[in-house]
Amino acid sequence: MIIQKPAVEVLSTESYEDMLRRIERIGRVCYKSEDRIEEGSAEKFIRGIIRRGHESVIEHGSITVKFICDRGVTHEIVRHRIASYSQESTRYCNYVKEKFGSQITCIDLATGFRYDLNDETDRKKYDVWQEAMENAERSYFQMIELGATPQEARSVLPNSLKTELVATMDLREWRHFFRLRADAAAHPQCREVACMLLERFAREYPVFFADLLEAEG
């Protein structure tokens, strides 16, 4: 069994500068102020419409992300309806195969829940979790050996199973996502990947997300 930490990967190829220019041009149609487009005007314009709550304009931009997390977390993510999703399928992926390392991969419980593995209580909880993951892997392999298909054998796989979920959301929905999933009340493992992604978005798409990072921080 492999234990892996969660991760995020941005798959979109449109540059921040191109996104800014395109959304400014679209947004200025509302005010017929296209004549005010000039070098450096996009960020100021977009920051203003976000501040005024005119976020429908930024629905014209989208970002695609790959989450590498556990399957329990993906149940939280896919509740965001205004999005497109593609996910690693346990119906068709056979983890006995060599391309999966002939073992299952689980997302480390300790990082999302911030276990201190030098603490006796946290260590005991972690050891119970790890044993459960090893038992699940063993049961999965036994079912495959007995002739079960992957879609049968997946019934014994845990929520902690590593999965890859590709999500495309428009910029407005990403802002909504972060307001919910990066909040202190969010599920700890979902908040872990949401905060990871928000930090990256705030760095790479600052006019759209930096204010949320400041509010979250």
Side-chain angles (χ1 to χ4, degrees), residues 122-185:
D122 281 354
R123 182 79 244 182
K124 286 179 178 177
K125 289 189 291 185
Y126 190 79
D127 288 345
V128 169
W129 170 80
Q130 189 168 355
E131 183 181 3
M133 298 307 100
E134 290 168 351
N135 287 337
E137 180 183 62
R138 190 158 38 250
S139 297
Y140 179 85
F141 275 55
Q142 286 173 349
M143 288 192 72
I144 295 291
E145 288 169 6
L146 291 168
T149 61
Q151 67 181 353
E152 291 176 81
R154 75 173 183 175
S155 301
V156 301
L157 292 173
N159 262 353
S160 289
L161 184 74
K162 166 261 176 188
T163 189
E164 297 184 7
L165 173 72
V166 176
T168 301
M169 301 185 198
D170 67 48
L171 298 172
R172 187 182 195 179
E173 184 60 20
W174 276 122
R175 286 177 62 83
H176 178 239
F177 173 85
F178 291 127
R179 288 190 186 105
L180 294 182
R181 305 305 174 186
D183 186 80

Short mmCIF file of all heavy atoms in Angstrom, two decimals, residues 122-185:
data_model
loop_
_atom_site.label_atom_id
_atom_site.label_comp_id
_atom_site.label_asym_id
_atom_site.label_seq_id
_atom_site.Cartn_x
_atom_site.Cartn_y
_atom_site.Cartn_z
N ASP A 122 -2.88 10.58 18.85
CA ASP A 122 -2.88 10.69 17.39
C ASP A 122 -2.21 9.49 16.74
O ASP A 122 -2.65 8.99 15.71
CB ASP A 122 -2.18 11.99 16.95
CG ASP A 122 -3.07 13.21 17.10
OD1 ASP A 122 -4.26 13.04 17.44
OD2 ASP A 122 -2.58 14.34 16.88
N ARG A 123 -1.12 9.03 17.35
CA ARG A 123 -0.41 7.88 16.79
C ARG A 123 -1.28 6.63 16.81
O ARG A 123 -1.32 5.88 15.84
CB ARG A 123 0.86 7.63 17.62
CG ARG A 123 1.73 6.48 17.13
CD ARG A 123 2.56 6.92 15.95
NE ARG A 123 2.22 6.20 14.75
CZ ARG A 123 2.82 6.37 13.59
NH1 ARG A 123 3.80 7.25 13.47
NH2 ARG A 123 2.46 5.69 12.52
N LYS A 124 -2.03 6.44 17.88
CA LYS A 124 -2.90 5.27 17.97
C LYS A 124 -4.00 5.33 16.92
O LYS A 124 -4.33 4.33 16.28
CB LYS A 124 -3.50 5.16 19.37
CG LYS A 124 -2.51 4.67 20.42
CD LYS A 124 -3.16 4.61 21.80
CE LYS A 124 -2.19 4.07 22.84
NZ LYS A 124 -2.79 4.06 24.20
N LYS A 125 -4.60 6.53 16.75
CA LYS A 125 -5.64 6.69 15.73
C LYS A 125 -5.07 6.40 14.34
O LYS A 125 -5.71 5.73 13.52
CB LYS A 125 -6.23 8.10 15.77
CG LYS A 125 -7.10 8.38 16.98
CD LYS A 125 -7.82 9.71 16.86
CE LYS A 125 -6.88 10.89 16.94
NZ LYS A 125 -7.60 12.19 16.94
N TYR A 126 -3.89 6.92 14.11
CA TYR A 126 -3.26 6.72 12.80
C TYR A 126 -2.95 5.25 12.55
O TYR A 126 -3.15 4.74 11.44
CB TYR A 126 -1.97 7.55 12.73
CG TYR A 126 -1.37 7.62 11.34
CD1 TYR A 126 -1.90 8.47 10.37
CD2 TYR A 126 -0.27 6.83 11.00
CE1 TYR A 126 -1.35 8.54 9.10
CE2 TYR A 126 0.28 6.89 9.73
CZ TYR A 126 -0.26 7.75 8.78
OH TYR A 126 0.28 7.80 7.51
N ASP A 127 -2.49 4.55 13.56
CA ASP A 127 -2.16 3.13 13.42
C ASP A 127 -3.41 2.31 13.11
O ASP A 127 -3.36 1.38 12.30
CB ASP A 127 -1.48 2.60 14.68
CG ASP A 127 -0.06 3.12 14.85
OD1 ASP A 127 0.50 3.66 13.88
OD2 ASP A 127 0.49 2.99 15.97
N VAL A 128 -4.54 2.65 13.74
CA VAL A 128 -5.80 1.96 13.45
C VAL A 128 -6.21 2.21 12.01
O VAL A 128 -6.62 1.29 11.28
CB VAL A 128 -6.91 2.41 14.42
CG1 VAL A 128 -8.28 1.90 13.96
CG2 VAL A 128 -6.62 1.92 15.82
N TRP A 129 -6.09 3.48 11.58
CA TRP A 129 -6.43 3.82 10.18
C TRP A 129 -5.54 3.06 9.20
O TRP A 129 -6.03 2.47 8.23
CB TRP A 129 -6.26 5.33 9.97
CG TRP A 129 -6.35 5.75 8.54
CD1 TRP A 129 -7.49 5.95 7.80
CD2 TRP A 129 -5.25 6.01 7.63
NE1 TRP A 129 -7.17 6.31 6.50
CE2 TRP A 129 -5.81 6.35 6.39
CE3 TRP A 129 -3.86 5.98 7.78
CZ2 TRP A 129 -5.01 6.66 5.28
CZ3 TRP A 129 -3.08 6.29 6.68
CH2 TRP A 129 -3.65 6.63 5.45
N GLN A 130 -4.26 3.05 9.45
CA GLN A 130 -3.33 2.38 8.54
C GLN A 130 -3.63 0.88 8.45
O GLN A 130 -3.60 0.29 7.36
CB GLN A 130 -1.88 2.61 8.99
CG GLN A 130 -0.86 2.12 7.97
CD GLN A 130 0.54 2.62 8.29
OE1 GLN A 130 0.75 3.40 9.22
NE2 GLN A 130 1.51 2.16 7.52
N GLU A 131 -3.93 0.27 9.58
CA GLU A 131 -4.28 -1.15 9.56
C GLU A 131 -5.54 -1.41 8.75
O GLU A 131 -5.64 -2.38 8.00
CB GLU A 131 -4.46 -1.66 11.00
CG GLU A 131 -4.75 -3.15 11.08
CD GLU A 131 -4.95 -3.64 12.51
OE1 GLU A 131 -4.91 -2.81 13.45
OE2 GLU A 131 -5.15 -4.86 12.70
N ALA A 132 -6.52 -0.50 8.88
CA ALA A 132 -7.77 -0.64 8.12
C ALA A 132 -7.50 -0.53 6.62
O ALA A 132 -8.09 -1.26 5.81
CB ALA A 132 -8.78 0.41 8.56
N MET A 133 -6.60 0.37 6.22
CA MET A 133 -6.27 0.52 4.81
C MET A 133 -5.58 -0.74 4.28
O MET A 133 -5.86 -1.21 3.16
CB MET A 133 -5.35 1.73 4.60
CG MET A 133 -5.95 3.09 4.98
SD MET A 133 -7.55 3.46 4.23
CE MET A 133 -8.66 3.05 5.57
N GLU A 134 -4.70 -1.31 5.07
CA GLU A 134 -3.99 -2.54 4.66
C GLU A 134 -4.97 -3.70 4.54
O GLU A 134 -4.86 -4.52 3.61
CB GLU A 134 -2.88 -2.85 5.66
CG GLU A 134 -1.73 -1.85 5.60
CD GLU A 134 -0.77 -1.97 6.77
OE1 GLU A 134 -1.10 -2.71 7.72
OE2 GLU A 134 0.28 -1.30 6.74
N ASN A 135 -5.93 -3.76 5.45
CA ASN A 135 -6.95 -4.81 5.37
C ASN A 135 -7.82 -4.65 4.12
O ASN A 135 -8.19 -5.63 3.48
CB ASN A 135 -7.84 -4.80 6.63
CG ASN A 135 -7.11 -5.32 7.85
OD1 ASN A 135 -6.14 -6.07 7.73
ND2 ASN A 135 -7.57 -4.94 9.04
N ALA A 136 -8.15 -3.40 3.80
CA ALA A 136 -8.95 -3.14 2.60
C ALA A 136 -8.20 -3.58 1.35
O ALA A 136 -8.78 -4.19 0.44
CB ALA A 136 -9.31 -1.66 2.52
N GLU A 137 -6.91 -3.24 1.30
CA GLU A 137 -6.10 -3.65 0.15
C GLU A 137 -6.06 -5.16 0.04
O GLU A 137 -6.24 -5.73 -1.06
CB GLU A 137 -4.68 -3.11 0.29
CG GLU A 137 -3.78 -3.51 -0.88
CD GLU A 137 -2.36 -3.03 -0.70
OE1 GLU A 137 -1.71 -3.45 0.28
OE2 GLU A 137 -1.89 -2.24 -1.54
N ARG A 138 -5.86 -5.83 1.15
CA ARG A 138 -5.80 -7.29 1.15
C ARG A 138 -7.13 -7.90 0.66
O ARG A 138 -7.14 -8.81 -0.17
CB ARG A 138 -5.47 -7.78 2.57
CG ARG A 138 -5.13 -9.26 2.66
CD ARG A 138 -4.32 -9.59 3.90
NE ARG A 138 -4.72 -8.83 5.08
CZ ARG A 138 -3.97 -7.87 5.64
NH1 ARG A 138 -2.79 -7.57 5.14
NH2 ARG A 138 -4.40 -7.23 6.71
N SER A 139 -8.24 -7.36 1.13
CA SER A 139 -9.55 -7.87 0.71
C SER A 139 -9.79 -7.62 -0.77
O SER A 139 -10.33 -8.47 -1.48
CB SER A 139 -10.65 -7.19 1.54
OG SER A 139 -10.52 -7.51 2.90
N TYR A 140 -9.38 -6.45 -1.26
CA TYR A 140 -9.53 -6.12 -2.68
C TYR A 140 -8.76 -7.12 -3.54
O TYR A 140 -9.29 -7.66 -4.52
CB TYR A 140 -9.03 -4.69 -2.91
CG TYR A 140 -9.10 -4.23 -4.35
CD1 TYR A 140 -10.26 -3.69 -4.88
CD2 TYR A 140 -7.98 -4.32 -5.19
CE1 TYR A 140 -10.32 -3.24 -6.19
CE2 TYR A 140 -8.03 -3.88 -6.50
CZ TYR A 140 -9.21 -3.34 -7.00
OH TYR A 140 -9.27 -2.91 -8.32
N PHE A 141 -7.52 -7.37 -3.17
CA PHE A 141 -6.70 -8.31 -3.93
C PHE A 141 -7.29 -9.72 -3.90
O PHE A 141 -7.28 -10.44 -4.91
CB PHE A 141 -5.26 -8.30 -3.41
CG PHE A 141 -4.41 -7.21 -4.00
CD1 PHE A 141 -4.80 -5.89 -3.92
CD2 PHE A 141 -3.23 -7.51 -4.65
CE1 PHE A 141 -4.03 -4.88 -4.49
CE2 PHE A 141 -2.44 -6.51 -5.22
CZ PHE A 141 -2.85 -5.19 -5.13
N GLN A 142 -7.82 -10.11 -2.76
CA GLN A 142 -8.41 -11.45 -2.64
C GLN A 142 -9.62 -11.58 -3.55
O GLN A 142 -9.81 -12.63 -4.20
CB GLN A 142 -8.81 -11.73 -1.19
CG GLN A 142 -7.63 -12.01 -0.27
CD GLN A 142 -8.03 -12.11 1.19
OE1 GLN A 142 -9.15 -11.79 1.57
NE2 GLN A 142 -7.10 -12.57 2.02
N MET A 143 -10.43 -10.55 -3.63
CA MET A 143 -11.61 -10.59 -4.50
C MET A 143 -11.20 -10.70 -5.97
O MET A 143 -11.78 -11.47 -6.73
CB MET A 143 -12.50 -9.38 -4.27
CG MET A 143 -13.25 -9.42 -2.94
SD MET A 143 -14.56 -8.17 -2.84
CE MET A 143 -15.78 -8.85 -3.97
N ILE A 144 -10.18 -9.93 -6.36
CA ILE A 144 -9.70 -10.00 -7.75
C ILE A 144 -9.16 -11.40 -8.03
O ILE A 144 -9.43 -11.98 -9.10
CB ILE A 144 -8.61 -8.94 -8.00
CG1 ILE A 144 -9.19 -7.51 -7.89
CG2 ILE A 144 -7.95 -9.14 -9.36
CD1 ILE A 144 -10.15 -7.10 -8.97
N GLU A 145 -8.41 -11.97 -7.10
CA GLU A 145 -7.86 -13.32 -7.28
C GLU A 145 -8.97 -14.37 -7.42
O GLU A 145 -8.80 -15.39 -8.10
CB GLU A 145 -6.96 -13.68 -6.09
CG GLU A 145 -5.63 -12.94 -6.09
CD GLU A 145 -4.88 -13.10 -4.77
OE1 GLU A 145 -5.35 -13.89 -3.92
OE2 GLU A 145 -3.85 -12.43 -4.59
N LEU A 146 -10.10 -14.10 -6.80
CA LEU A 146 -11.24 -15.03 -6.88
C LEU A 146 -12.09 -14.80 -8.13
O LEU A 146 -13.12 -15.45 -8.31
CB LEU A 146 -12.11 -14.90 -5.62
CG LEU A 146 -11.48 -15.41 -4.33
CD1 LEU A 146 -12.30 -14.97 -3.12
CD2 LEU A 146 -11.35 -16.94 -4.37
N GLY A 147 -11.63 -13.90 -8.99
CA GLY A 147 -12.32 -13.69 -10.26
C GLY A 147 -13.26 -12.50 -10.29
O GLY A 147 -13.98 -12.29 -11.28
N ALA A 148 -13.29 -11.72 -9.23
CA ALA A 148 -14.16 -10.55 -9.22
C ALA A 148 -13.64 -9.50 -10.20
O ALA A 148 -12.43 -9.36 -10.40
CB ALA A 148 -14.23 -9.95 -7.81
N THR A 149 -14.55 -8.76 -10.81
CA THR A 149 -14.16 -7.63 -11.65
C THR A 149 -13.82 -6.44 -10.76
O THR A 149 -14.23 -6.40 -9.58
CB THR A 149 -15.32 -7.24 -12.59
OG1 THR A 149 -16.44 -6.85 -11.78
CG2 THR A 149 -15.72 -8.39 -13.50
N PRO A 150 -13.10 -5.44 -11.29
CA PRO A 150 -12.80 -4.26 -10.47
C PRO A 150 -14.05 -3.59 -9.91
O PRO A 150 -14.04 -3.12 -8.77
CB PRO A 150 -12.06 -3.34 -11.45
CG PRO A 150 -11.37 -4.28 -12.38
CD PRO A 150 -12.35 -5.41 -12.58
N GLN A 151 -15.15 -3.59 -10.68
CA GLN A 151 -16.35 -2.94 -10.17
C GLN A 151 -17.01 -3.72 -9.04
O GLN A 151 -17.75 -3.15 -8.23
CB GLN A 151 -17.35 -2.67 -11.29
CG GLN A 151 -17.96 -3.89 -11.93
CD GLN A 151 -18.94 -3.53 -13.05
OE1 GLN A 151 -19.26 -2.36 -13.26
NE2 GLN A 151 -19.41 -4.53 -13.77
N GLU A 152 -16.73 -5.02 -8.96
CA GLU A 152 -17.18 -5.80 -7.80
C GLU A 152 -16.25 -5.55 -6.61
O GLU A 152 -16.69 -5.28 -5.50
CB GLU A 152 -17.15 -7.29 -8.11
CG GLU A 152 -18.18 -7.80 -9.10
CD GLU A 152 -17.96 -9.28 -9.37
OE1 GLU A 152 -18.43 -10.10 -8.54
OE2 GLU A 152 -17.32 -9.62 -10.39
N ALA A 153 -14.96 -5.67 -6.88
CA ALA A 153 -13.97 -5.59 -5.80
C ALA A 153 -13.90 -4.20 -5.17
O ALA A 153 -13.54 -4.06 -4.01
CB ALA A 153 -12.60 -5.99 -6.34
N ARG A 154 -14.30 -3.18 -5.91
CA ARG A 154 -14.21 -1.83 -5.36
C ARG A 154 -15.10 -1.63 -4.14
O ARG A 154 -14.93 -0.67 -3.39
CB ARG A 154 -14.58 -0.79 -6.42
CG ARG A 154 -16.06 -0.68 -6.74
CD ARG A 154 -16.32 0.49 -7.66
NE ARG A 154 -17.75 0.67 -7.93
CZ ARG A 154 -18.24 1.68 -8.62
NH1 ARG A 154 -17.42 2.59 -9.11
NH2 ARG A 154 -19.54 1.79 -8.83
N SER A 155 -16.04 -2.54 -3.93
CA SER A 155 -16.95 -2.43 -2.79
C SER A 155 -16.22 -2.43 -1.45
O SER A 155 -16.76 -1.95 -0.45
CB SER A 155 -17.97 -3.57 -2.81
OG SER A 155 -18.72 -3.55 -4.01
N VAL A 156 -15.01 -2.97 -1.43
CA VAL A 156 -14.27 -3.02 -0.16
C VAL A 156 -13.25 -1.88 -0.04
O VAL A 156 -12.55 -1.79 0.97
CB VAL A 156 -13.54 -4.37 0.00
CG1 VAL A 156 -14.53 -5.53 -0.06
CG2 VAL A 156 -12.44 -4.55 -1.05
N LEU A 157 -13.18 -1.03 -1.06
CA LEU A 157 -12.19 0.04 -1.02
C LEU A 157 -12.64 1.16 -0.08
O LEU A 157 -13.83 1.45 0.04
CB LEU A 157 -11.95 0.60 -2.42
CG LEU A 157 -11.25 -0.37 -3.39
CD1 LEU A 157 -11.22 0.21 -4.80
CD2 LEU A 157 -9.83 -0.69 -2.91
N PRO A 158 -11.70 1.84 0.58
CA PRO A 158 -12.05 2.84 1.60
C PRO A 158 -12.25 4.24 1.03
O PRO A 158 -11.84 4.54 -0.10
CB PRO A 158 -10.81 2.81 2.50
CG PRO A 158 -9.69 2.51 1.56
CD PRO A 158 -10.26 1.56 0.54
N ASN A 159 -12.86 5.10 1.84
CA ASN A 159 -12.97 6.52 1.48
C ASN A 159 -11.60 7.14 1.28
O ASN A 159 -11.45 8.10 0.51
CB ASN A 159 -13.71 7.29 2.58
CG ASN A 159 -15.17 7.50 2.29
OD1 ASN A 159 -15.65 7.18 1.20
ND2 ASN A 159 -15.89 8.02 3.26
N SER A 160 -10.60 6.63 1.97
CA SER A 160 -9.26 7.21 1.90
C SER A 160 -8.53 6.86 0.61
O SER A 160 -7.40 7.32 0.39
CB SER A 160 -8.41 6.74 3.08
OG SER A 160 -8.84 7.34 4.28
N LEU A 161 -9.16 6.04 -0.25
CA LEU A 161 -8.51 5.69 -1.52
C LEU A 161 -8.17 6.95 -2.30
O LEU A 161 -9.01 7.84 -2.48
CB LEU A 161 -9.45 4.82 -2.35
CG LEU A 161 -8.86 4.30 -3.67
CD1 LEU A 161 -7.85 3.18 -3.41
CD2 LEU A 161 -9.96 3.81 -4.60
N LYS A 162 -6.94 7.03 -2.78
CA LYS A 162 -6.53 8.16 -3.62
C LYS A 162 -7.32 8.13 -4.93
O LYS A 162 -7.52 7.09 -5.55
CB LYS A 162 -5.03 8.09 -3.90
CG LYS A 162 -4.52 8.99 -5.02
CD LYS A 162 -4.35 8.18 -6.30
CE LYS A 162 -3.94 9.05 -7.48
NZ LYS A 162 -3.96 8.28 -8.76
N THR A 163 -7.77 9.30 -5.35
CA THR A 163 -8.44 9.43 -6.63
C THR A 163 -7.99 10.71 -7.30
O THR A 163 -7.44 11.60 -6.65
CB THR A 163 -9.98 9.42 -6.47
OG1 THR A 163 -10.60 9.32 -7.76
CG2 THR A 163 -10.49 10.67 -5.77
N GLU A 164 -8.22 10.81 -8.60
CA GLU A 164 -7.93 12.03 -9.35
C GLU A 164 -9.25 12.55 -9.91
O GLU A 164 -9.97 11.82 -10.59
CB GLU A 164 -6.92 11.77 -10.46
CG GLU A 164 -5.57 11.31 -9.91
CD GLU A 164 -4.51 11.11 -10.99
OE1 GLU A 164 -4.77 11.47 -12.16
OE2 GLU A 164 -3.43 10.60 -10.66
N LEU A 165 -9.56 13.79 -9.60
CA LEU A 165 -10.79 14.43 -10.05
C LEU A 165 -10.43 15.71 -10.79
O LEU A 165 -9.77 16.59 -10.22
CB LEU A 165 -11.69 14.75 -8.85
CG LEU A 165 -12.95 15.57 -9.15
CD1 LEU A 165 -13.97 14.71 -9.90
CD2 LEU A 165 -13.56 16.12 -7.87
N VAL A 166 -10.84 15.80 -12.06
CA VAL A 166 -10.63 17.02 -12.84
C VAL A 166 -11.92 17.84 -12.78
O VAL A 166 -13.00 17.31 -13.07
CB VAL A 166 -10.25 16.70 -14.29
CG1 VAL A 166 -10.13 17.99 -15.11
CG2 VAL A 166 -8.93 15.92 -14.33
N ALA A 167 -11.78 19.09 -12.38
CA ALA A 167 -12.95 19.98 -12.25
C ALA A 167 -12.72 21.25 -13.05
O ALA A 167 -11.64 21.85 -12.99
CB ALA A 167 -13.18 20.33 -10.78
N THR A 168 -13.74 21.64 -13.81
CA THR A 168 -13.73 22.92 -14.51
C THR A 168 -14.87 23.77 -13.96
O THR A 168 -16.02 23.33 -13.96
CB THR A 168 -13.91 22.75 -16.03
OG1 THR A 168 -12.86 21.92 -16.54
CG2 THR A 168 -13.86 24.10 -16.74
N MET A 169 -14.53 24.94 -13.46
CA MET A 169 -15.54 25.87 -12.96
C MET A 169 -15.26 27.25 -13.53
O MET A 169 -14.10 27.59 -13.81
CB MET A 169 -15.51 25.96 -11.42
CG MET A 169 -15.75 24.67 -10.68
SD MET A 169 -15.82 24.96 -8.89
CE MET A 169 -15.56 23.27 -8.29
N ASP A 170 -16.32 28.05 -13.66
CA ASP A 170 -16.07 29.44 -14.02
C ASP A 170 -15.54 30.18 -12.80
O ASP A 170 -15.58 29.67 -11.68
CB ASP A 170 -17.32 30.10 -14.64
CG ASP A 170 -18.47 30.28 -13.66
OD1 ASP A 170 -18.23 30.78 -12.54
OD2 ASP A 170 -19.62 29.93 -14.01
N LEU A 171 -15.02 31.36 -13.02
CA LEU A 171 -14.33 32.08 -11.95
C LEU A 171 -15.26 32.43 -10.79
O LEU A 171 -14.86 32.41 -9.62
CB LEU A 171 -13.69 33.35 -12.51
CG LEU A 171 -12.63 33.12 -13.59
CD1 LEU A 171 -12.21 34.44 -14.22
CD2 LEU A 171 -11.42 32.40 -13.01
N ARG A 172 -16.50 32.72 -11.11
CA ARG A 172 -17.45 33.03 -10.05
C ARG A 172 -17.70 31.81 -9.16
O ARG A 172 -17.76 31.93 -7.93
CB ARG A 172 -18.77 33.51 -10.65
CG ARG A 172 -19.77 34.01 -9.62
CD ARG A 172 -21.06 34.44 -10.30
NE ARG A 172 -21.90 35.22 -9.41
CZ ARG A 172 -23.08 35.73 -9.78
NH1 ARG A 172 -23.53 35.57 -11.02
NH2 ARG A 172 -23.80 36.42 -8.92
N GLU A 173 -17.82 30.63 -9.79
CA GLU A 173 -18.07 29.43 -9.00
C GLU A 173 -16.84 29.04 -8.19
O GLU A 173 -16.97 28.54 -7.07
CB GLU A 173 -18.50 28.27 -9.90
CG GLU A 173 -18.86 26.99 -9.16
CD GLU A 173 -20.02 27.16 -8.18
OE1 GLU A 173 -20.81 28.12 -8.30
OE2 GLU A 173 -20.14 26.32 -7.26
N TRP A 174 -15.64 29.27 -8.73
CA TRP A 174 -14.43 29.02 -7.93
C TRP A 174 -14.44 29.91 -6.68
O TRP A 174 -14.06 29.47 -5.59
CB TRP A 174 -13.17 29.27 -8.75
CG TRP A 174 -12.73 28.12 -9.61
CD1 TRP A 174 -12.54 28.13 -10.97
CD2 TRP A 174 -12.38 26.79 -9.19
NE1 TRP A 174 -12.12 26.89 -11.41
CE2 TRP A 174 -12.01 26.05 -10.34
CE3 TRP A 174 -12.36 26.14 -7.96
CZ2 TRP A 174 -11.63 24.71 -10.29
CZ3 TRP A 174 -11.98 24.81 -7.89
CH2 TRP A 174 -11.61 24.10 -9.05
N ARG A 175 -14.86 31.16 -6.82
CA ARG A 175 -14.93 32.04 -5.65
C ARG A 175 -15.91 31.49 -4.62
O ARG A 175 -15.64 31.49 -3.41
CB ARG A 175 -15.32 33.47 -6.08
CG ARG A 175 -14.18 34.21 -6.78
CD ARG A 175 -14.61 35.59 -7.26
NE ARG A 175 -15.01 36.47 -6.17
CZ ARG A 175 -14.18 37.19 -5.41
NH1 ARG A 175 -12.86 37.14 -5.63
NH2 ARG A 175 -14.64 37.98 -4.45
N HIS A 176 -17.04 31.00 -5.10
CA HIS A 176 -18.02 30.38 -4.21
C HIS A 176 -17.42 29.14 -3.54
O HIS A 176 -17.60 28.91 -2.34
CB HIS A 176 -19.28 30.02 -4.99
CG HIS A 176 -20.33 29.34 -4.18
ND1 HIS A 176 -20.82 28.08 -4.48
CD2 HIS A 176 -20.99 29.73 -3.07
CE1 HIS A 176 -21.73 27.73 -3.59
NE2 HIS A 176 -21.85 28.71 -2.73
N PHE A 177 -16.73 28.33 -4.33
CA PHE A 177 -16.07 27.13 -3.81
C PHE A 177 -15.14 27.47 -2.65
O PHE A 177 -15.18 26.84 -1.58
CB PHE A 177 -15.30 26.45 -4.95
CG PHE A 177 -14.44 25.30 -4.52
CD1 PHE A 177 -14.96 24.02 -4.39
CD2 PHE A 177 -13.08 25.48 -4.26
CE1 PHE A 177 -14.17 22.94 -4.00
CE2 PHE A 177 -12.28 24.40 -3.88
CZ PHE A 177 -12.83 23.14 -3.74
N PHE A 178 -14.32 28.49 -2.84
CA PHE A 178 -13.36 28.85 -1.79
C PHE A 178 -14.04 29.42 -0.56
O PHE A 178 -13.58 29.19 0.57
CB PHE A 178 -12.32 29.83 -2.33
CG PHE A 178 -11.39 29.23 -3.34
CD1 PHE A 178 -11.20 29.82 -4.58
CD2 PHE A 178 -10.70 28.06 -3.06
CE1 PHE A 178 -10.34 29.26 -5.52
CE2 PHE A 178 -9.84 27.48 -3.99
CZ PHE A 178 -9.66 28.09 -5.22
N ARG A 179 -15.12 30.17 -0.75
CA ARG A 179 -15.83 30.71 0.41
C ARG A 179 -16.33 29.59 1.31
O ARG A 179 -16.36 29.73 2.54
CB ARG A 179 -17.00 31.59 -0.03
CG ARG A 179 -16.58 32.93 -0.63
CD ARG A 179 -17.78 33.84 -0.83
NE ARG A 179 -17.42 35.06 -1.53
CZ ARG A 179 -17.71 35.30 -2.80
NH1 ARG A 179 -18.37 34.39 -3.52
NH2 ARG A 179 -17.35 36.42 -3.37
N LEU A 180 -16.74 28.47 0.72
CA LEU A 180 -17.25 27.35 1.49
C LEU A 180 -16.16 26.40 1.94
O LEU A 180 -16.11 25.98 3.10
CB LEU A 180 -18.29 26.58 0.66
CG LEU A 180 -19.60 27.31 0.33
CD1 LEU A 180 -20.51 26.38 -0.45
CD2 LEU A 180 -20.29 27.78 1.60
N ARG A 181 -15.26 26.01 1.02
CA ARG A 181 -14.33 24.91 1.29
C ARG A 181 -13.03 25.33 1.93
O ARG A 181 -12.30 24.49 2.47
CB ARG A 181 -14.07 24.14 0.00
CG ARG A 181 -15.32 23.64 -0.70
CD ARG A 181 -16.18 22.79 0.20
NE ARG A 181 -17.45 22.44 -0.45
CZ ARG A 181 -18.45 21.80 0.13
NH1 ARG A 181 -18.34 21.42 1.40
NH2 ARG A 181 -19.56 21.54 -0.53
N ALA A 182 -12.69 26.63 1.86
CA ALA A 182 -11.49 27.11 2.56
C ALA A 182 -11.86 27.71 3.92
O ALA A 182 -10.99 28.18 4.64
CB ALA A 182 -10.76 28.13 1.71
N ASP A 183 -13.13 27.67 4.25
CA ASP A 183 -13.60 28.20 5.52
C ASP A 183 -13.15 27.30 6.67
O ASP A 183 -12.99 26.08 6.50
CB ASP A 183 -15.13 28.31 5.49
CG ASP A 183 -15.68 28.99 6.72
OD1 ASP A 183 -15.63 30.24 6.76
OD2 ASP A 183 -16.16 28.29 7.63
N ALA A 184 -13.01 27.87 7.84
CA ALA A 184 -12.56 27.10 9.01
C ALA A 184 -13.53 25.98 9.37
O ALA A 184 -13.13 24.98 9.98
CB ALA A 184 -12.38 28.04 10.20
N ALA A 185 -14.81 26.13 8.99
CA ALA A 185 -15.81 25.11 9.32
C ALA A 185 -15.87 23.97 8.31
O ALA A 185 -16.62 23.01 8.51
CB ALA A 185 -17.19 25.76 9.44
#
